[in-house]
Amino acid sequence: MKKFLLVCNFKMNSVALSEYQNEVGQKQINNLVLCPNFCDIKEYCALKPNGIMIGAQNVSEFTNGAYTGEVSAKMLKDVGADFCIVGHSERKKYFYESHEQTNTKIKNLIAEGVTPIVCVGEDIKKDEDFAVRFVLMELNQILKDIDLSRIIVAYEPIWAIGTGLVPSNKHIELVISAIKKYTGIDMVLYGGSFGENNYIQIASINGVDGALIGGASLKPDLICKMQSEID
Ligand code: PEP
């Protein structure tokens, strides 16, 4: 099958490193990025010799100084993160992250050589035209003055996140194709209830380069199964 990147977002949950280590064993694993919580990033770097890449779930918009509780892009780089999710819908919903803040975070990550995985997606379940307009409008604001060759986009319809609902193949294909056409970005992932019952189907959709995975990330056996079957 084609190269298909799986990006696992553990959110504010802990998965013992040993659970992933037991599944991985001595194997080389391609195209898998694990994004544990900040506290576990360093420990998870133990999986890098197996080919597994490590990411963070968020980053500060500031570079250093008196910003209690914040973690900078340089700190992420220094601890071993190669990727960082930015602008996730949960950051927008619960922490009121603005497009302007997301834009600054992306710039800080690129400056440190950490690849941003930029999340966009419509909040209401409607037709493809609505989704394309919504997502392109978001990208227009979020990606101002950004080097587009340095980022990955994750198309995540908000109504599909954690709900078990998934758009049709046609919907996913049309939205991702519009993102690529209007931005020139090469790598676009799908996210939203990607799991055991749909991974083969979604991985086969034209133009989909990978998946951003929430809930299923907490099951290392399932992630390793998906990875070996898709790879
Ligand atoms: C997410 O939170 O980005 C996500 C895709 O979650 P889930 O896979 O649980 O829908």
Side-chain angles (χ1 to χ4, degrees):
M1 252 204 199
K2 63 185 176 180
K3 179 176 169 201
F4 193 85
L5 186 69
L6 297 180
V7 180
C8 294
N9 175 9
F10 296 6
K11 310 197 183 190
M12 201 173 71
N13 296 294
S14 297
V15 180
L17 171 63
S18 57
E19 288 190 40
Y20 266 99
Q21 281 174 322
N22 289 343
E23 288 300 328
V24 171
Q26 303 301 314
K27 291 194 287 281
Q28 278 297 308
I29 305 275
N30 301 318
N31 306 320
L32 177 62
V33 181
L34 299 181
C35 304
N37 65 66
F38 282 139
C39 300
D40 290 348
I41 289 177
K42 191 169 187 172
E43 187 182 54
Y44 263 79
C45 288
L47 290 168
K48 283 189 168 188
N50 296 87
I52 292 176
M53 298 168 281
I54 303 300
Q57 301 170 18
N58 184 33
V59 65
S60 178
E61 69 195 279
F62 304 108
T63 51
N64 69 298
Y67 300 103
T68 302
E70 293 288 280
V71 174
S72 72
K74 181 170 187 320
M75 290 168 182
L76 293 180
K77 181 70 184 175
D78 289 347
V79 82
D82 308 301
F83 295 84
C84 182
I85 298 166
V86 274
H88 191 278
S89 63
E90 287 155 13
R91 299 296 318 168
K92 294 174 185 148
K93 181 175 175 191
Y94 300 121
F95 305 98
Y96 310 107
E97 181 167 319
S98 66
H99 292 329
E100 201 179 15
Q101 286 171 310
T102 307
N103 176 273
T104 307
K105 291 179 179 192
I106 295 169
K107 287 176 181 158
N108 291 349
L109 289 166
I110 290 175
E112 293 299 335
V114 178
T115 303
I117 300 168
V118 181
C119 302
V120 289
E122 75 278 13
D123 50 358
I124 305 170
K125 187 174 188 302
K126 283 195 185 176
D127 61 16
E128 291 93 16
D129 282 353
F130 172 80
V132 167
R133 269 187 278 116
F134 191 103
V135 161
L136 294 183
M137 187 201 61
E138 278 190 299
L139 286 171
N140 193 32
Q141 295 176 34
I142 292 172
L143 299 183
K144 220 171 248 170
D145 303 322
I146 303 277
D147 177 353
L148 301 179
S149 68
R150 305 282 298 275
I151 66 164
I152 294 173
V153 166
Y155 167 53
E156 297 207 297
I158 296 173
W159 54 268
I161 295 178
T163 58
L165 300 172
V166 173
S168 66
N169 286 10
K170 178 174 158 242
H171 181 112
I172 296 173
E173 184 172 345
L174 281 174
V175 178
I176 288 188
S177 138
I179 293 172
K180 290 185 173 181
K181 180 169 172 199
Y182 287 104
T183 63
I185 291 167
D186 271 349
M187 181 114 197
V188 183
L189 317 179
Y190 167 77
S193 297
F194 184 90
E196 181 141 36
N197 300 327
N198 55 29
Y199 67 99
I200 297 284
Q201 172 205 324
I202 294 175
S204 70
I205 300 174
N206 204 20
V208 181
D209 302 304
L212 179 51
I213 307 168
S217 300
L218 307 181
K219 298 179 182 164
D221 54 340
L222 176 56
I223 293 299
C224 290
K225 180 172 165 239
M226 287 176 179
Q227 190 280 336
S228 70
E229 285 180 20
I230 293 171
D231 189 46

